[in-house]
Amino acid sequence: MDPFSFSIETVFQVYQEAIRSKNTSIEKLNALHEVFLLLAVGKPIPGGCPILNAAIESDDVHLVLRDATRKAMDDLYSMILRIIRTGIRNSEIISTIDSETFTTIIISTIEGSLMMTKLYNDTIYINRSIGFLIDYLSKFETREGN
């Protein structure tokens, strides 16, 4: 198995483990935030987020890597989108939220803060983003979900 595939498989296993024991969509999203915090400090693999790293490296030059990176991002996007949509169906998240926009905001915020964390070697950036997302998510949580 190539290093990128190994990294992606490893990280997705950690995502699945993190959400497996959680009961609500809010708990699952918060558990994913914790995984991203782990990535920021080099766990379970060194170097940060393999999707972010490969996306930057592959751009228009390494088409095979770019396609594999897009697939990995599609998988991450789909996982978060499913959690949000399940939360809406279960009346944990308000039904008026645009689940695709919310998924994009989560991924963009986390990936951008991971880049800053790695660039400055300071977890303050990922911690700020996670704090923001937890607060932001709480605004969309329904009373039934509390």
Side-chain angles (χ1 to χ4, degrees):
M1 178 180 296
D2 66 89
F4 177 73
S5 297
F6 174 79
S7 296
I8 292 298
E9 187 174 305
T10 300
V11 171
F12 272 86
Q13 286 174 358
V14 174
Y15 290 148
Q16 293 304 315
E17 289 170 18
I19 64 175
R20 186 174 295 125
S21 64
K22 306 303 179 197
N23 295 317
T24 70
S25 295
I26 303 298
E27 290 174 352
K28 289 178 182 188
L29 291 171
N30 288 332
L32 290 177
H33 295 149
E34 293 302 314
V35 175
F36 284 113
L37 182 56
L38 288 175
L39 287 170
V41 297
K43 297 178 183 175
I45 56 170
C49 178
I51 297 172
L52 175 65
N53 296 340
I56 291 168
E57 293 298 323
S58 66
D59 56 34
D60 293 328
V61 180
H62 305 286
L63 300 181
V64 173
L65 180 58
R66 185 190 64 196
D67 290 346
T69 305
R70 283 183 178 176
K71 163 110 176 49
M73 179 57 79
D74 289 345
D75 291 345
L76 175 61
Y77 187 95
S78 294
M79 177 179 60
I80 294 172
L81 185 63
R82 276 192 311 273
I83 292 170
I84 292 169
R85 287 182 173 165
T86 298
I88 292 168
R89 273 194 313 279
N90 293 343
S91 299
E92 299 164 350
I93 299 172
I94 61 172
S95 61
T96 56
I97 192 170
D98 181 327
S99 56
E100 291 186 14
T101 298
F102 195 34
T103 300
T104 300
I105 289 169
I106 289 171
I107 292 172
S108 299
T109 301
I110 288 293
E111 294 290 2
S113 66
L114 276 171
M115 180 272 302
M116 292 180 72
T117 294
K118 297 304 288 177
L119 181 63
Y120 292 104
N121 195 30
D122 190 341
T123 57
I124 190 69
Y125 302 102
I126 188 75
N127 284 315
R128 286 175 180 159
S129 292
I130 288 171
F132 168 80
L133 289 171
I134 289 170
D135 182 58
Y136 187 73
L137 181 59
S138 72
K139 294 175 182 10
F140 298 101
E141 197 171 359
T142 65
R143 293 195 189 278
E144 292 86 3
N146 291 327

